[in-house]
Amino acid sequence: MVSHFPPSNEHLDDQMVKMEVNLDDIPGEWLGYVMDLLFEAGANDVFYTPIYMKKNRPGVLLQLLCSQEHINTMKEILFKETTTLGIRYYPLTVHRLERMFRKVTTEWGEVTVKEGIYEGHVVQRAPEFEECKSIAQLHNIPLKKVYEMVWKALGNEN
Amino acid sequence: MVSHFPPSNEHLDDQMVKMEVNLDDIPGEWLGYVMDLLFEAGANDVFYTPIYMKKNRPGVLLQLLCSQEHINTMKEILFKETTTLGIRYYPLTVHRLERMFRKVTTEWGEVTVKEGIYEGHVVQRAPEFEECKSIAQLHNIPLKKVYEMVWKALGNEN
Amino acid sequence: MVSHFPPSNEHLDDQMVKMEVNLDDIPGEWLGYVMDLLFEAGANDVFYTPIYMKKNRPGVLLQLLCSQEHINTMKEILFKETTTLGIRYYPLTVHRLERMFRKVTTEWGEVTVKEGIYEGHVVQRAPEFEECKSIAQLHNIPLKKVYEMVWKALGNEN
Amino acid sequence: MVSHFPPSNEHLDDQMVKMEVNLDDIPGEWLGYVMDLLFEAGANDVFYTPIYMKKNRPGVLLQLLCSQEHINTMKEILFKETTTLGIRYYPLTVHRLERMFRKVTTEWGEVTVKEGIYEGHVVQRAPEFEECKSIAQLHNIPLKKVYEMVWKALGNEN
Amino acid sequence: MVSHFPPSNEHLDDQMVKMEVNLDDIPGEWLGYVMDLLFEAGANDVFYTPIYMKKNRPGVLLQLLCSQEHINTMKEILFKETTTLGIRYYPLTVHRLERMFRKVTTEWGEVTVKEGIYEGHVVQRAPEFEECKSIAQLHNIPLKKVYEMVWKALGNEN
Amino acid sequence: MVSHFPPSNEHLDDQMVKMEVNLDDIPGEWLGYVMDLLFEAGANDVFYTPIYMKKNRPGVLLQLLCSQEHINTMKEILFKETTTLGIRYYPLTVHRLERMFRKVTTEWGEVTVKEGIYEGHVVQRAPEFEECKSIAQLHNIPLKKVYEMVWKALGNEN
C-alpha cells in the first residue's frame, strides 16, 4: 500500500475524510507506533490531541486525514492496533496549493526548497527539513545556521 | 431520558452528530458537572480539549457525540448549564465493532471482558474497568495486578 | 472587510464552515498576529489547539469558524500569512441564541449585560468583559470585585 | 491514612514537596483511579498535564503536592499503581490564605461560602461547589442559577 | 512598579523564583487580564498550561517567573485577581545570554535584530517582532515576507 | 558524549537537575530534532508541554532532566539549537527503583521484560517496547497481540 499523493497543481480535493478515535485505554508508547503504521499505509496526516475524558481520564484524540479510497485500510489498522471499539469520520474539502521544487546553493551544497503557489504567486517557501537536518549532522553545525544560509541564498536569488 | 445504546453487532451508524462549544467564561469546576449531565441525558461521549482563544484566554473546547434524536436534549443542557450563546454541530458516520461479553476467572473471582469483533475476528479484548477497580479496592491490591491476572487468565483460555 | 454579524434573534445558521490548518513549521509568535488578522477579516471565531505531529513535533491546529461567504478571504490570509500548503474545511450548523443587551447600575457606573434567550427564556447573562475591565483599571480594583457588583445589581433587579 | 489539613490561618508552609512522574506506558483509565488513591492518602493536590515524549508518544505528566511527611506514602502508591521506574521531587513553599466559612441564605436553603483572607482582608469568596451542585440536582435547576442566587445573597449582605 | 530588567551581559541569576497556581474556578477570560497585570508589575514571564484536575475539571496552571524582590507584588495580584487560596513557589537559577541590538536595513526601513551571545559567540539572532509586525501592517504585506527580507539583509552583512 | 546511566539498584539520586526553556519563536519541526540531540548528549528525559504565552502565542515548554555534570552540555545544545536567550534550572531528587531484566519466551521468540523492584518486591514489569515492535513488524501482527503473548508468558511463569 503506497501513500496517497495528491496532484501537484493547485486544486480543491473533495474526496478527503477526517477520521477520529478517542483513546483512554492504550499506553502512549503504542501510539507512536500506530502513527507510523498509518502514514505508511497512506494517511495524508496523523496527529494527536490531548483530551479530558470521563472519570478523570487523560485521553488522546487521534485524528487522521485520508482520501476516501483509504478509509478501509485506515479502519483496519485502527481496529487492529488500537483499543477502540468505534471509529468516526466525516468528509471534508482540501484546498491545496501548487507545489514546485527548486534548488538553492549554500556553502554546504544544494538544498531543495518547496514552494507553494497560490493563484499563480509564490506564497510559501520551505527548505526541505530532512536535507537541512542532514547537512547539520554532517557538518556538525546548528540546524538553525543551515536554515539561515538557505534563507540568505534564497534572498540573493530574488 | 435514557442513554443511547447502539446495536451490538458490527455496523455503520450514519445518524450521529458531533456537537462543539468553545468556552472561555466558565469555571472549570462547573464543566465536570456538565459532563455528567450530558452523559446521563444520552450522550455517547463527551470530552474537553484545551484551546487558546483570543485575548490570551485559555479556553476549553467541549465536544460531544450523540445520535440525531438527542440533539435537542443536548442543546438544552448546553444552553442552560454552560455560558455559551452558540452551539455548532455536524453529522458524522460511526463504524462500531460487534461487542461480546465473556467471563474469565481469576483467583479473586470472575471479571467480564468486553470483546470487539471486526469482520468476524476478535480484535479487542478489554477487561471491564469498574470490575477490576472493585476487585483492587476489595482486596487492597494494585489495579495493575488485577489486569495482569485477567490477561493471564485470558491467555490460558486461548 | 467587515466582520460577519449573525442576526440577533434565535436561529439556526447552516451557512457556516469550520476551517482547519495543521502547523509545525511556524513560530508561535506569528500565530498571535494571524489570529488578529483573521478576526479583523470576518472570522466568527479563531482558536488554537496543541497537537502532536510526526517526528516528535509539537504542532498547532488552527481552527476557525466563518460564514461560507468568507471562505476565500480566510484562505487568502492563511496561505499568505502562515506556512501551510493546504487548508481543509467542512460545513456545520450553528444554533445561536437570541441576544439582548441591558444595562445594570453599579456604584462605578453602568455595565452592559449580554443576555442569551433560548426559546423565550433568559438562560445566559454575561457582563461585557471589556467594560468590567475598564472599570477595574479606572478605579484600581480587582476585576472580580467588578463582576461581584454586577451580579449583585443583577440579582436585585429580579 | 488521613488527608493533610494545613492550619486555617494565613501562613507560609515550607514543608511542602512537589512530586512528578512522566508516564507513557499506562492507559488513561488507570490514571483516573490513581488520582483518587493519592487524594485519599493525603495529597494536597494531584493533576495531569499532557506532554510530548520521545518517539512520538503522547504522554502524561503527573504532578502532586504533599507535605514532606507524606512523601513515602505517595511514593508507594506511585510505584505500585503506575508504571514508573522513577519519581522526582523538590521542595517548595506555599503561602496559604486564612480560610473562614460563612453561611448565606438563598431561597433553596443555606450555602457555605469559603472566604480567603489576605493580610486581614477578604479577597476570595467561593460558594462550596458540592453544596451548590446538590441544590441544583435536588431542585432540578441549572448550576449557574444556584451560583447567581448565592452571589446575590452575598451582595445583599455587604 | 516597573519591570525587572536583568543585566545585558551573559550571567547566572540565582535570585529568581517560579511561582505556580492551580485554577479550576475562574473563567478563562479573566486570566488574559491577569497575565497583563503580572507583566506590568514586573514578572519576567507568565504562561498557562492546561491541566486535568479532580472531578473531571479542566483547569489551568499559571506559572510565572520573577525575581525574589517581586515575590510580594506577584502574590498580591494573584490573591486579589484570581480565585486561589494558595500560591506555591521555589527558587531557580537562570542563565541568560549577553544581549546586543543591531540594525539591519531592508527596503522598508531599518529593523532591530536582537542577538544572543554565548561565550563570546553570536548564537541567536531574532528580528524584533513588533517592528516586523508594524512594517507588515504599514505596507500591507505578509509578516513572513518581512522576516524573509530581514534574513536576507542579515545574510548579506555576514 | 554518552548517556548518563544511573546505577541499577534502588537509590535516591540528589544530583539531578530539571532544566526548562519557554519557546514561542521556533518552528515545531526543529524541536523534534532538538529532542534527539539532547537525548544523544546524555539527557535522562526530554519532553514538551504546550503553553499559552503572551500576545496570544501558542508556545512550547521544553523540560529536560539531567545529572548536574551534564548541565553545561545541555545548555550548549539549547543555546545553539533553539532560539532561547535564557535557560532556567533547579535541583531535584530522583528515587529510582532497582532494575532487573529477564527473558520470557513467546511463540515468536524471546522478549526482555524490565522489572522494577521497590523495597525488594517486583512492582513493575514492562516488556521492552522496541523488541515487541520488532516482532510485530517481522511477523506482521498487531503490536497488542505481542504484548498479550508476553503477558500470558509472564503469567504462566508465576
Side-chain angles (χ1 to χ4, degrees), chain E residues 126-141:
Chain E
E128 290 286 29
F129 174 77
E130 292 297 338
E131 291 180 27
C132 293
K133 179 178 147 183
S134 295
I135 288 173
Q137 290 174 317
L138 185 63
H139 296 276
N140 198 25
I141 47 176

Side-chain angles (χ1 to χ4, degrees), chain B residues 57-122:
Chain B
R57 296 174 180 170
V60 172
L61 169 59
L62 180 157
Q63 293 180 77
L64 73 81
L65 300 168
C66 70
S67 61
Q68 292 190 355
E69 71 199 71
H70 284 80
I71 288 179
N72 286 336
T73 308
M74 296 299 132
K75 281 183 183 176
E76 187 179 338
I77 294 173
L78 291 171
F79 280 133
K80 289 191 176 170
E81 297 284 348
T82 78
T83 50
T84 195
L85 291 164
I87 298 170
R88 57 186 188 266
Y89 49 99
Y90 46 95
L92 42 71
T93 303
V94 179
H95 182 154
R96 294 198 191 86
L97 296 185
E98 181 184 349
R99 287 148 206 241
M100 293 188 64
F101 297 87
R102 53 188 289 202
K103 302 281 183 185
V104 297
T105 304
T106 74
E107 59 183 279
W108 301 294
E110 284 195 331
V111 173
T112 307
V113 173
K114 182 161 61 177
E115 292 184 336
I117 292 130
Y118 172 62
E119 297 181 351
H121 297 87
V122 176

Side-chain angles (χ1 to χ4, degrees), chain C residues 53 56 124-125 144 148, chain D residues 56 124-125 144 148:
Chain C
M53 297 178 72
N56 268 317
Q124 313 292 9
R125 295 194 301 178
K144 71 185 171 196
E148 280 184 21
Chain D
N56 266 319
Q124 312 292 10
R125 297 193 301 177
K144 70 185 172 196
E148 279 183 21

Side-chain angles (χ1 to χ4, degrees), chain F residues 8-151:
Chain F
S8 65
N9 61 310
E10 187 174 356
H11 66 281
L12 286 189
D13 181 344
D14 60 359
Q15 300 294 307
M16 296 294 290
V17 161
K18 198 203 285 185
M19 213 171 266
E20 300 183 356
V21 175
N22 284 14
L23 295 159
D24 68 0
D25 55 355
I26 189 171
E29 66 184 356
W30 294 13
L31 292 175
Y33 176 65
V34 170
M35 183 184 275
D36 290 342
L37 293 178
L38 293 166
F39 271 115
E40 284 165 21
N44 295 59
D45 209 349
V46 186
F47 53 101
Y48 296 120
T49 311
I51 53 175
Y52 305 60
M53 298 179 71
K54 65 181 176 185
K55 301 183 187 178
N56 266 318
R57 296 173 181 171
V60 172
L61 169 59
L62 180 156
Q63 293 181 78
L64 73 81
L65 300 167
C66 70
S67 61
Q68 291 189 357
E69 71 199 70
H70 283 80
I71 288 179
N72 286 336
T73 308
M74 296 298 133
K75 280 183 183 174
E76 187 179 338
I77 294 173
L78 290 173
F79 280 133
K80 290 191 176 168
E81 297 284 348
T82 78
T83 51
T84 195
L85 292 164
I87 298 171
R88 57 186 189 266
Y89 49 100
Y90 46 96
L92 42 71
T93 303
V94 179
H95 182 153
R96 293 197 192 87
L97 296 185
E98 181 184 348
R99 288 149 205 240
M100 293 189 63
F101 298 87
R102 54 188 288 204
K103 302 281 184 186
V104 297
T105 304
T106 74
E107 59 182 280
W108 301 293
E110 284 195 331
V111 174
T112 307
V113 173
K114 182 160 60 176
E115 291 185 336
I117 292 130
Y118 172 61
E119 297 181 351
H121 297 88
V122 176
V123 290
Q124 314 292 9
R125 296 193 300 178
E128 289 286 30
F129 174 78
E130 292 296 339
E131 291 179 28
C132 293
K133 179 177 147 184
S134 296
I135 288 173
Q137 291 175 318
L138 185 63
H139 297 275
N140 198 25
I141 47 175
L143 180 62
K144 69 185 173 195
K145 278 251 174 238
V146 181
Y147 272 81
E148 279 184 21
M149 293 311 291
V150 176
W151 287 120

